[in-house]
């Protein structure tokens, strides 16, 4: 198997604040990889750098041979991403949010979206502000999977979910 993700001496600093320093790893296609560490260890910073939301101070990261900073738009087509925290207009329903995010992706298979909603036992008819933390997480999981991505990057995917 070839490496789908390559990270070499990735560093992100915030002035005198700690970020990540010289992180190096490779992840092969088909491999499951998890970050473990205490709060503030740099797990989310590494993920946000991989997604092209943060520009690295030094080093390089690629996904599918694409540079995570300069080719971030192309990477987002390959990746299903669940951020650690997210928010939407509190008055939109779950269905409206998923429809909006599907349109941003250029359209998604609505059959797949329905299957994900069913599988997660999620009610998309309620307004975002009425959802529990767990149901907000379910919206995030549906949107991460709905375009059948080649790669999933999930930041704290079980947060707020019951076993």
């Amino acid at each position: 198997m070839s490496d789908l993700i390559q990270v070499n001496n990735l560093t992100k600093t915030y002035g005198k604040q700690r970020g990540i320093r010289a992180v190096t790893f490779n992840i092969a296609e088909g491999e499951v990889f998890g970050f473990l560490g205490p709060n503030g260890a740099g797990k989310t910073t590494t993920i946000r750098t991989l997604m092209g939301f943060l520009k690295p101070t030094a080093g390089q990261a690629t996904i599918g041979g694409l540079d995570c900073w300069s080719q971030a738009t192309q990477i987002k087509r390959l990746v299903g991403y669940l951020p650690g925290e997210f928010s939407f207009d509190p008055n939109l329903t779950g269905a409206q949010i998923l429809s909006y995010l599907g349109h941003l992706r250029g359209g998604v298979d609505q059959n797949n979206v329905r299957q994900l909603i069913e599988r997660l036992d999620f009610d998309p008819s309620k307004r975002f502000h009425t959802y529990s933390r767990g149901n907000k997480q379910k919206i995030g999981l549906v949107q991460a999977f709905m375009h059948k991505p080649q790669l999933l990057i999930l930041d704290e995917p079980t947060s707020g979910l019951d076993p």
Side-chain angles (χ1 to χ4, degrees):
M1 281 189 228
S2 62
D3 289 333
L4 185 56
I5 299 176
Q6 295 180 322
V7 176
N8 188 26
N9 289 315
L10 194 63
T11 298
K12 176 63 183 170
T13 57
Y14 302 98
K16 293 184 180 187
Q17 294 277 332
R18 188 170 140 207
I20 54 174
R21 188 175 46 227
V23 174
T24 299
F25 61 87
N26 293 340
I27 302 173
E29 190 171 346
E31 185 175 6
V32 175
F33 182 89
F35 288 114
L36 297 175
N39 291 341
K43 300 177 298 291
T44 296
T45 298
T46 302
I47 289 170
R48 295 176 104 202
T49 306
L50 285 171
M51 290 302 302
F53 300 135
L54 298 174
K55 184 176 183 179
T57 307
Q60 185 180 21
T62 62
I63 295 177
L66 301 168
D67 181 80
C68 289
W69 178 252
S70 66
Q71 297 174 296
T73 301
Q74 296 95 307
I75 286 173
K76 287 174 182 65
R77 291 185 189 115
L78 303 173
V79 176
Y81 171 63
L82 174 68
E85 294 181 31
F86 55 90
S87 64
F88 294 100
D89 181 326
N91 293 312
L92 291 178
T93 65
Q96 289 171 318
I97 292 166
L98 293 172
S99 175
Y100 172 73
L101 294 172
H103 285 0
L104 282 180
R105 291 209 165 273
V108 293
D109 178 357
Q110 291 303 309
N111 228 10
N112 186 46
V113 174
R114 279 189 293 280
Q115 288 175 354
L116 290 165
I117 287 169
E118 211 173 281
R119 187 171 188 180
L120 291 172
D121 192 27
F122 173 68
D123 180 357
S125 68
K126 295 181 180 178
R127 301 213 180 272
F128 186 77
H129 70 88
T130 67
Y131 287 127
S132 66
R133 171 72 175 115
N135 279 312
K136 289 176 180 178
Q137 192 73 349
K138 288 178 182 182
I139 293 174
L141 288 168
V142 171
Q143 69 80 32
F145 282 84
M146 72 181 176
H147 69 291
K148 300 178 183 175
Q150 180 182 350
L151 171 68
L152 288 166
I153 296 180
L154 310 173
D155 192 353
E156 302 200 29
T158 60
S159 179
L161 294 176
D162 295 331

